[in-house]
Amino acid sequence: MTAELRDVLVLLPTREQLRLAVGVQATGHELLQQVCDQTGIREAHFFGLSVVRNNEHVFMDLEQKLSKYFSKDWKRETRGPQGRGRPGAPFVAFLGVQYYVENGRLIRDRAARHLYYLQLKERVLRSQCAHREEAYFLLAAYGLQADLGNHRRLAHAGRYFQPQAYFPQWLIAKRGSAYVLRHAPALHREQRGLSPREAELRFIREACRLEDVPVHFFRLYKDKKEDRPTVVLGLTLRGLQVFQEVNRTPQLLYDFPWPHVEKLAFLGKRFELWPHGQPAARRLVYHTGCAWRSRHLLRLLRTSHQLHLGLQQARQQLQLLEEAEEKPCYRESYVSDARDGNQDPEPAGSGDHAGPDQRPPSLCSLLSAGSCCSSHAPAFEVHPQRAGPKEPGEMSVDEPEAVAALPTEEPPCSPSTSRSSPGCGGRASPQQPLAVVQVTLVSMRAPSAEATLHQVGPAVGQAAGSLPALQSGQGPPRGPTGDLVGSGGRVRLWGRGRWGTESLAWSMGVFLGVRVS
């Protein structure tokens, strides 16, 4: 007797669709393996499968059966015993980036790296960082070089690309298509000799410097009695951000790098964030609205933090190497109407220009457009050197050495730092006229970068290879003494029996489980 099959439609970042057939009892791993076989991906460590619940992407626990993520129709028979009957609509899943990394060399598989580049390219088109306008021109130049190769005068004359494919809509409305088509080719010519692979790597690096690109957003309730969520939690490359909606506009309230977070806890629908070195009275409390959503959100936060620790040494080695190679090779390019001696400035109302008084649109939704790119500091200072008091009756957990030795990380590029740091993609000064966009271009020869990648490759594979075990709902593997031993330190189980589903916590390298009878 053959196993009953179900049709699953998987949407890729390339906007392609894969229609696959899997068994009723299939797990997420089996579906992901079929996707990798069809797309040629050999290492899918940084990707995951997701479904949409309440207008929000929820990444699957690949160890679980697919029936837990699809509707009740999954278990119903769609065809008759003789294969007759009308087949039902396919179940829809999405393949996307689950774990963002700022250096594309950490993704060793060529097909996976190209897919990663394509998803970042889509997120750049929805980015809203109006204060980083020069970064979008540089990203467009890298994207054109990666997609089309070297600029050729005859083949790439006139409108040889669509501005909507490389620039956000708000920037096209502000500058106009004619402005973009006039200046982007010059930046494309500057990339001559750059291989498509190196152009993709540079695109990944610059795109991850935009605050609202390498981030996952989740809506939370400030109070359990609210009728709609007003708080947005952002999972970034280096930690967590909390936004508050004020008049339908998100504003950054807190920015917590991972070393500044002491513990994350979900108590049913209740979400608690404990800043490091702060008393329990100053913890942040929000609500998810669903215990099922809480469990999956905690799993994503936990595995993201674990991968962040595992890749830290590899990132530092690659960053030091790239910075050393960039120093002797530095040049600047300017995009300015004032330098166009033979051309008049574009009229304010010509083409699709939005007019002289129109500004880039404000952020209406973090889930669709990203963060507000604010550089606000947290509402209170967090000192990682101070140890916060422990509540009486709370079980002590050994602090992992990897977290204790973790140095304080540099904050992401902000408007105040991008003007003085050559690594942020540009140095646009407030004294410059609005019609001038200055783009910093860096030439880099990276033969030694490849050698360094071979050295850090095993570390990347080891850190990413540990994700399937972390993604499972059973926690880290058991040690010989009965304690639960994780890669970050000793982990103990509170109580006996299975892992509790109503109360879970992740204490920055230590997974805590609470059994609920």
Side-chain angles (χ1 to χ4, degrees):
M1 179 178 179
T2 59
E4 190 176 357
L5 300 179
R6 295 289 182 267
D7 291 334
V8 180
L9 187 67
V10 180
L11 304 181
L12 306 180
T14 58
R15 299 181 180 180
E16 297 177 334
Q17 300 179 0
L18 296 179
R19 190 150 185 166
L20 306 174
V22 295
V24 178
Q25 302 298 326
T27 63
H29 269 307
E30 297 178 44
L31 178 60
L32 181 60
Q33 186 59 49
Q34 287 198 37
V35 174
C36 292
D37 294 340
Q38 293 287 334
T39 57
I41 297 177
R42 294 177 299 174
E43 297 180 0
H45 302 310
F46 301 97
F47 292 86
L49 293 172
S50 65
V51 294
V52 176
R53 292 284 183 89
N54 297 325
N55 296 324
E56 182 178 275
H57 283 270
V58 177
F59 284 98
M60 296 182 183
D61 183 348
L62 299 181
E63 299 293 336
Q64 299 292 328
K65 294 181 179 180
L66 295 175
S67 57
K68 292 183 176 296
Y69 295 94
F70 295 120
S71 64
K72 296 180 179 179
D73 294 336
W74 177 267
K75 294 185 178 181
R76 296 176 183 173
E77 190 173 6
T78 56
R79 296 177 182 267
Q82 304 296 330
R84 301 174 182 176
R86 183 178 181 180
F91 301 91
V92 179
F94 298 83
L95 177 69
V97 176
Q98 187 170 0
Y99 306 103
Y100 287 103
V101 289
E102 63 270 39
N103 197 317
R105 288 187 172 91
L106 296 172
I107 308 175
R108 296 175 295 177
D109 181 32
R110 182 177 181 180
R113 185 171 57 247
H114 181 67
L115 201 64
Y116 185 86
Y117 154 76
L118 292 177
Q119 178 154 347
L120 286 184
K121 189 176 176 183
E122 287 294 323
R123 291 193 63 86
V124 166
L125 297 181
R126 300 194 301 268
S127 176
Q128 297 283 329
C129 296
H131 64 281
R132 295 290 312 282
E133 189 174 332
E134 78 285 349
Y136 297 103
F137 282 87
L138 184 59
L139 286 168
Y142 290 151
L144 290 170
Q145 184 70 17
D147 298 341
L148 305 179
N150 292 330
H151 183 275
R152 300 185 298 276
R153 185 177 59 180
L154 297 180
H156 298 155
R159 194 184 183 101
Y160 69 96
F161 71 93
Q162 295 295 327
Q164 293 81 4
Y166 294 91
F167 291 89
Q169 188 59 41
W170 66 263
L171 193 149
I172 299 175
K174 175 183 177 181
R175 295 292 184 179
S177 294
Y179 182 93
V180 171
L181 293 171
R182 184 163 68 248
H183 293 294
L187 297 177
H188 183 193
R189 286 192 295 269
E190 292 284 347
Q191 313 306 319
R192 176 173 295 275
L194 202 64
S195 66
R197 175 184 177 277
E198 188 64 28
E200 287 186 0
L201 291 175
R202 295 194 183 186
F203 185 97
I204 292 173
R205 180 187 60 187
E206 294 299 328
C208 288
R209 289 172 176 169
L210 296 175
E211 295 92 326
D212 59 352
V213 171
V215 58
H216 294 296
F217 292 109
F218 305 94
R219 291 192 175 274
L220 303 175
Y221 297 86
K222 189 174 182 180
D223 186 88
K224 59 183 178 181
K225 296 182 180 180
E226 286 184 332
D227 55 349
R228 67 178 188 87
T230 59
V231 175
V232 176
L233 177 69
L235 173 60
T236 67
L237 284 170
R238 290 176 171 81
L240 300 174
Q241 292 180 337
V242 179
F243 298 84
Q244 174 73 43
E245 285 191 358
V246 179
N247 297 327
R248 300 282 182 171
T249 302
Q251 296 182 1
L252 180 63
L253 294 182
Y254 307 104
D255 189 359
F256 297 108
W258 285 123
H260 292 178
V261 180
E262 182 173 327
K263 185 172 71 173
L264 301 171
F266 286 91
L267 307 175
K269 303 177 183 180
R270 179 187 175 102
F271 168 63
E272 295 182 358
L273 189 154
W274 297 58
H276 188 83
Q278 296 294 325
R282 304 199 69 174
R283 68 183 184 271
L284 304 179
V285 179
Y286 302 106
H287 301 270
T288 61
C290 176
W292 180 88
R293 184 167 175 255
S294 299
R295 293 194 297 270
H296 284 79
L297 182 55
L298 175 63
R299 183 183 59 83
L300 179 60
L301 298 179
R302 174 166 53 91
T303 54
S304 297
H305 177 251
Q306 193 71 28
L307 183 66
H308 173 82
L309 294 179
L311 296 180
Q312 183 182 7
Q313 183 179 1
R315 288 197 309 266
Q316 290 176 350
Q317 292 181 4
L318 289 174
Q319 182 179 0
L320 292 175
L321 177 66
E322 292 177 351
E323 289 177 354
E325 293 177 346
E326 287 178 358
K327 288 180 180 179
C329 306
Y330 178 83
R331 70 179 186 273
E332 292 182 351
S333 295
Y334 290 84
V335 176
S336 172
D337 283 338
R339 294 180 180 270
D340 298 339
N342 298 328
Q343 299 194 27
D344 297 331
E346 187 179 0
S350 63
D352 52 3
H353 198 285
D357 296 330
Q358 180 168 345
R359 299 179 180 179
S362 59
L363 295 183
C364 298
S365 173
L366 275 169
L367 296 177
S368 61
S371 71
C372 61
C373 309
S374 173
S375 60
H376 296 172
F380 54 86
E381 297 183 0
V382 181
H383 303 281
Q385 293 82 4
R386 294 184 347 203
K390 296 182 179 179
E391 293 186 8
E394 185 179 45
M395 185 175 181
S396 62
V397 181
D398 299 335
E399 190 67 15
E401 297 179 359
V403 180
L406 192 63
T408 303
E409 300 179 20
E410 293 293 333
C413 294
S414 63
S416 60
T417 59
S418 62
R419 288 189 290 268
S420 60
S421 174
C424 291
R427 301 183 300 175
S429 174
Q431 285 78 18
Q432 294 175 344
L434 186 61
V436 179
V437 177
Q438 178 179 343
V439 181
T440 303
L441 303 177
V442 179
S443 297
M444 184 172 68
R445 299 291 184 267
S448 55
E450 298 299 328
T452 301
L453 182 58
H454 287 293
Q455 297 176 4
V456 303
V460 175
Q462 182 179 4
S466 63
L467 288 179
L470 290 172
Q471 290 174 357
S472 66
Q474 299 178 355
R478 287 188 177 272
T481 61
D483 290 341
L484 295 176
V485 181
S487 59
R490 294 182 64 78
V491 182
R492 295 189 179 96
L493 176 65
W494 292 0
R496 297 180 179 178
R498 62 182 179 82
W499 286 90
T501 58
E502 296 301 327
S503 180
L504 298 175
W506 173 246
S507 182
M508 297 305 99
V510 179
F511 185 53
L512 308 177
V514 181
R515 181 178 181 271
V516 180
S517 58

